[in-house]
Structures are given as C-alpha cells and as structure tokens.
Amino acid sequence: MKKNVSDISFSYMSPWIRMNFEDWNPLLQNALLKSYPKNTIIYHQGEKTPYIYLVKTGRVCLDIYAENGKKRSLYIADEGTCFGELACLDHLPNYCSAVTCTETSLYLIQHQDFLKETEKNHSFTLAILKSLSLKTRVITGLLEQLSFDNSQLRFYHSLIALIQQYGTRTKEGYYRLSIKFTHQEMAYQTGLSRVSISNNFLSLTNAGYIEKENGYLIIKDLSALQKYLNEEKF
C-alpha cells in the first residue's frame, strides 16, 4: 500500500493535526517524557498548568464543555503537535480540556523553557506561529460548518478529513484508514449525535461505499463522497 491523498478535494482544514517534531528538538533534551493510558485527562478546561505538551506518540483530543456538560471537540493533536501553548503565552487558564484518545506519550515542557526558546530561536518561533495559524483555520472551519452546513455535510467533511490525514491507498484503489476511532469520537468532533453518525455510516455501508476490516475503515468509493459534497456546496 502507498500513501496517496493528493487527489482528495477538501475545503476545510483537517481537525486531526500532525506537525513536525524537528522544530522542537532544542527543547526535548530537558523535557519530561510521560506515558498516559487512553481516556486520561491531561488538564481540565479552566485549569492552569506549568507545562506545554508535545505529542510523541498517540493522540489527544482538545474539547470544550458547556455548563450543562455538553461536549464539543475542537481538534485532535497527533504526533508532533503541541497543546497548552496559549495558556503560556497569555497567562490565562487553559480554554479547553485535553484528553488522550489512545495510549499516548507526551513531552512536558516548562513554560519558562518554551518562552526562552521563542525569544532566541527565530525558526522555532515561526513554527509556533504556523501551528497557531493552522489551529485557527481548523476552528474557523468548524465554526463555518456549525453555522452553515447540514448534519450530513458535517459528517462527510469529517470523514474526508480522516481520509486526508490517515488514508492509505490500497492496490485496489481504495483508501484504508490507519487509525481506529469510535462513532462517539466523531460525534463530539462534528457536534452531531452518536446515533446520527452511526446512521450515516450504516447508509454508506449498505450502499457499498465503505466497509470495515479488522476494525479499520476502508473507503471503497471516495468519488461518491466528494460528489455529495460538491452537489450540496453548490
């Protein structure tokens, strides 16, 4: 199998974010490396922490909660992606909660070390600005979907974002995702109910567009998904 997603048309930035480790090399020598089981809370919304976190392996979901407990996922930090940097830069509590999606290992970087590096390392500072810009585009895209897209469009956008980020082209011309995820995880990311997500997956399965193999999703007809998006968009 080979990676080949250049033919995927996608109008929003993928909420599954993966960045470059090399930008962080100057800080990793003094960073604390910790491992966390799945569903571990790294920090709560509104909590102050002394660290910026960098994902070495695994994935971390950044979520916001309403007073009634309703949850919405903002983005998923994959390998090489940092989170918690805003609390360091503006000295305010973290604006969302961070929870591991899988077994995850994180570098814990002290705020003072991070700030010193931004002051003296121009390339590192540019990398941080690039990361913040990407996250801004992701959150802006989510806001646009919530404001203007119907439930099916939001589901299809989320699915194509997964293919774009984790899809591997098979010899049959299909796309096989390299990660496993639950319907509930996608529900949090799209703002839809788990039942709605499950019904959409069932509809695509019955139509022969997708199937599962050993727990991994295989997209057999990507063009059908793209056609729906294009028709709904225009």
Side-chain angles (χ1 to χ4, degrees):
M1 296 186 294
K2 63 178 182 177
K3 188 78 173 179
N4 181 7
V5 294
S6 60
D7 55 335
I8 296 180
S9 172
F10 188 62
S11 58
Y12 296 127
M13 301 298 294
S14 171
W16 285 268
I17 300 176
R18 178 176 290 183
M19 302 293 287
N20 193 342
F21 263 121
E22 294 180 3
D23 299 322
W24 291 82
N25 283 341
L27 286 167
L28 298 186
Q29 185 174 356
N30 296 323
L32 176 65
L33 181 61
K34 291 187 66 174
S35 296
Y36 300 88
K38 181 180 178 179
N39 294 328
T40 299
I41 298 173
I42 307 302
Y43 57 72
H44 290 280
Q45 181 175 315
E47 180 182 354
K48 287 188 175 182
T49 61
Y51 302 110
I52 290 171
Y53 304 85
L54 179 70
V55 182
K56 181 182 181 183
T57 60
R59 300 191 307 279
V60 176
C61 193
L62 284 299
D63 304 320
I64 55 173
Y65 289 84
E67 290 186 3
N68 62 6
K70 188 174 182 180
K71 182 172 82 170
R72 174 66 198 261
S73 297
L74 298 178
Y75 65 90
I76 296 90
D78 205 326
E79 296 176 9
T81 303
C82 70
F83 57 94
E85 72 276 30
L86 287 185
C88 173
L89 293 170
D90 60 20
H91 307 292
L92 295 174
N94 287 292
Y95 69 96
C96 59
S97 296
V99 184
T100 58
C101 303
T102 63
E103 291 187 9
T104 301
S105 59
L106 301 174
Y107 289 106
L108 279 58
I109 300 164
Q110 293 279 355
H111 282 186
Q112 65 229 36
D113 294 336
F114 173 82
L115 292 173
K116 287 178 181 178
E117 195 64 30
T118 59
E119 290 173 0
K120 69 181 182 181
N121 188 334
H122 178 68
S123 296
F124 178 72
T125 303
L126 286 177
I128 295 302
L129 290 174
K130 179 181 178 181
S131 173
L132 290 172
S133 174
L134 176 57
K135 292 173 184 177
T136 300
R137 289 183 180 275
V138 168
I139 294 172
T140 301
L142 291 177
L143 177 61
E144 184 179 349
Q145 290 182 52
L146 285 172
S147 300
F148 305 118
D149 290 352
N150 61 38
S151 60
Q152 270 198 303
L153 267 176
R154 282 148 62 185
F155 166 78
Y156 277 66
H157 275 299
S158 184
L159 180 56
I160 288 183
L162 274 169
I163 303 168
Q164 185 184 50
Q165 187 76 8
Y166 300 107
T168 300
R169 195 76 176 267
T170 70
K171 61 182 180 180
E172 296 86 3
Y174 303 155
Y175 287 90
R176 186 180 190 272
L177 299 190
S178 61
I179 65 168
K180 296 179 181 180
F181 63 94
T182 67
H183 291 184
Q184 186 62 67
E185 286 178 303
M186 184 175 278
Y188 289 143
Q189 194 273 314
T190 57
L192 303 175
S193 69
R194 184 190 59 79
V195 172
S196 177
I197 296 296
S198 298
N199 287 340
N200 275 292
F201 273 115
L202 180 61
S203 177
L204 291 179
T205 301
N206 290 339
Y209 298 153
I210 64 172
E211 65 181 22
K212 273 196 171 182
E213 183 180 274
N214 299 322
Y216 292 94
L217 189 68
I218 296 176
I219 294 82
K220 301 176 68 175
D221 192 345
L222 177 63
S223 62
L225 308 186
Q226 292 176 308
K227 181 180 178 182
Y228 175 82
L229 284 175
N230 291 332
E231 287 177 350
E232 287 295 314
K233 183 176 180 180
F234 298 106

